[in-house]
Amino acid sequence: MHEWALAEAIIKLIEYKALESGINRVNYVKVVLGELQQVDEEILLYAFNELLNILKNEKNIEVVKYQLVKEKAEFKCNRCNSIWSLNTNTVSADELEMIHFIPEIIHSFISCPHCGSHDFEIIRGRGLSVIVYPQ
Amino acid sequence: MQQDYRIFAIHSRLSSLKLAIPVISPKGGVGKSTISSMLSLALSDIGIATGLLDLDITNPTLHTILGIDIHSVKLEEIKGIKPFKLTERLEFMSIAFFTRDAALPLRGSDIVNTIRELLAIINWNSMILVIDTPPGLSDEVLELLLLLNSVNPHITKPLIITGQNILSIISTKRLLSLIRKEKIEPLGVLCNMCSNNEFIRDIAKAYSVEILGYIPFIQNFEETIGNTKAILKHAQSYLNILIDKILNLVKT
Ligand SMILES: Nc1ncnc2c1ncn2[C@@H]1O[C@H](COP(=O)(O)OP(=O)(O)OP(=O)(O)O)[C@@H](O)[C@H]1O
Ligand SMILES: [Mg+2]
Ligand SMILES: [Zn+2]
């Protein structure tokens, strides 16, 4: 698992945004957890909170509010336009682990349930994404 | 780009590099993958901690050239993903470890995501990173140059590979004229499957890039595939100018 590394990068983003806006109270941070990346929410939250404390104590940067939102994965076929969601029965545990590291890898392992095409988009629930609202 | 948290992870993953060498060519099949392998084997053989990354996302081939059985490798997780250790001083990473060598059909934005994710989690321990790329000014090459430039523009020195045929030379000129408009300092040009240096003397002069030697067409070269000893031997015969230049760059 690489949740600590993820949390560290999020903290650096928050710090960057705070410095960029010249503030030390960041109003709101939204963290979206997409299904494909299977980030361990508990570990991430723990690491995030620890690092938030350090950020406050060492750099005097504070986050007023943050929120973690989970998102189910959804795919759209570029060939036939059908939309479907993840069926974990069609991918092996080994494949799921690889998708955890790099969600795009799923293009090797699944295809459109209607037309068989591998040319599809991950329209939701890809992985971790972070939006910082400084004010 | 600065809204993407992965950029910060990539910065810390690559910050200890002294030199990043994207191996690029506008034309396909001129020997980028072969030369990336040769170069990284030779550098690690003389004691330099070297990383080799296959960034030909939709068609990786380095693991085949290096004789690595993808299916028998279990990636190790220590603060991210440890690259596969080919020798004491050579670390290797490829998307093929993740796809189990299955085809990976991706469009542009997916390629960008894949590269950012990959570079954000790989835990390199090297001083020099050699990066094999697909031909042309592809998404892979553009994204790589973008990321490396944001980490540290001074460590990025692309190695340009050309053949001696007219189409390859014309394509290389076009690439060099583009590079010269940007603030990218190439390592130099290397002519592969060339009978001498004359083919690149003019372009080297016109675009003031260094000639890093040439590799002749080697009969039965395919027999070296999967045999790192044989590949290293060729590197020792043909890459001396290139390696000396690299050694001078990282010496300080
Ligand atoms: N000096 C050489 N002598 C003989 N054969 C060579 C030489 N260099 C490369 N080759 C062969 O030429 C072919 C193309 O080489 P390689 O795959 O390294 O090119 P590439 O630039 O990476 O191709 P692509 O653009 O598809 O990624 C391979 O079969 C390789 O073994
Ligand atoms: Mg290649
Ligand atoms: Zn379809």
Side-chain angles (χ1 to χ4, degrees), chain B residues 23-38 56 59 61-62 65 132-136 161 191-194 215-225 234 238:
Chain B
V23 179
I24 60 177
S25 79
K27 196 152 180 353
V30 296
K32 292 175 295 301
S33 303
T34 302
I35 292 166
S36 305
S37 307
M38 288 167 82
D56 195 336
N59 196 48
T61 52
L62 292 186
I65 296 176
D132 184 27
T133 67
I161 312 295
C191 197
N192 187 29
M193 299 183 258
C194 282
I215 306 175
F217 183 87
I218 302 163
Q219 292 298 329
N220 306 324
F221 188 74
E222 295 242 285
E223 285 169 14
T224 67
I225 286 181
H234 285 308
Y238 300 113

Side-chain angles (χ1 to χ4, degrees), chain B:
Chain B
M1 190 176 80
Q2 296 292 16
Q3 182 66 264
D4 188 340
Y5 72 93
R6 292 172 298 187
I7 301 300
F8 298 91
I10 293 169
H11 279 211
S12 44
R13 297 283 188 201
L14 299 182
S15 60
S16 62
L17 284 181
K18 270 197 159 181
L19 186 61
I21 308 175
V23 179
I24 60 177
S25 79
K27 196 152 180 353
V30 296
K32 292 175 295 301
S33 303
T34 302
I35 292 166
S36 305
S37 307
M38 288 167 82
L39 177 60
S40 54
L41 284 167
L43 288 173
S44 54
D45 187 64
I46 50 176
I48 295 177
T50 307
L52 174 62
L53 172 64
D54 196 335
L55 214 61
D56 195 336
I57 299 291
T58 57
N59 196 48
T61 52
L62 292 186
H63 57 289
T64 308
I65 296 176
L66 298 170
I68 298 167
D69 174 17
I70 282 291
H71 300 276
S72 71
V73 173
K74 177 95 181 84
L75 291 175
E76 222 187 319
E77 276 190 70
I78 303 171
K79 291 187 182 156
I81 291 189
K82 292 280 291 172
F84 175 74
K85 263 198 148 190
L86 193 66
T87 66
E88 190 49 45
R89 292 195 185 76
L90 183 52
E91 304 179 305
F92 171 64
M93 185 43 74
S94 165
I95 196 75
F97 287 123
F98 299 90
T99 59
R100 300 294 186 217
D101 225 1
L104 181 60
L106 294 182
R107 288 170 179 250
S109 62
D110 288 332
I111 295 207
V112 168
N113 264 327
T114 303
I115 293 175
R116 289 191 182 178
E117 216 64 57
L118 200 58
L119 290 177
I121 57 174
I122 307 173
N123 189 1
W124 296 103
N125 223 331
S126 296
M127 180 163 92
I128 297 182
L129 184 62
V130 177
I131 308 119
D132 184 27
T133 67
L137 292 165
S138 58
D139 288 303
E140 285 89 336
V141 172
L142 295 180
E143 180 63 16
L144 176 68
L145 293 177
L146 178 80
L147 293 174
L148 287 175
N149 190 61
S150 89
V151 173
N152 179 355
H154 306 293
I155 60 164
T156 311
K157 301 228 162 16
L159 169 62
I160 298 154
I161 312 295
T162 182
Q164 69 177 34
N165 58 78
I166 294 169
L167 298 184
S168 192
I169 297 282
I170 287 177
S171 314
T172 302
K173 277 188 191 165
R174 205 157 44 198
L175 174 74
L176 280 169
S177 93
L178 179 119
I179 280 187
R180 277 309 181 208
K181 286 180 199 141
E182 305 198 357
K183 290 193 177 59
I184 300 172
E185 189 54 45
L187 204 54
V189 195
L190 189 97
C191 197
N192 187 29
M193 299 183 258
C194 282
S195 43
N196 59 60
N197 261 344
E198 290 312 307
F199 297 95
I200 50 174
R201 203 164 301 281
D202 287 350
I203 32 177
K205 210 167 157 197
Y207 298 98
S208 50
V209 287
E210 213 168 308
I211 295 177
L212 298 170
Y214 70 95
I215 306 175
F217 183 87
I218 302 163
Q219 292 298 329
N220 306 324
F221 188 74
E222 295 242 285
E223 285 169 14
T224 67
I225 286 181
N227 180 347
T228 50
K229 279 210 180 91
I231 299 169
L232 174 62
K233 237 179 158 176
H234 285 308
Q236 288 162 339
S237 315
Y238 300 113
L239 297 185
N240 295 314
I241 304 174
L242 171 61
I243 288 168
D244 282 348
K245 166 137 199 202
I246 293 172
L247 287 181
N248 272 321
L249 282 173
V250 296
K251 204 169 53 187
T252 44

Side-chain angles (χ1 to χ4, degrees), chain A residues 1 13 37 94 108 119 126, chain B residues 2 77 100 103 107 117:
Chain A
M1 291 292 160
L13 173 65
Q37 211 162 22
D94 181 53
S108 286
D119 182 10
R126 178 198 169 275
Chain B
Q2 296 292 16
E77 276 190 70
R100 300 294 186 217
R107 288 170 179 250
E117 216 64 57

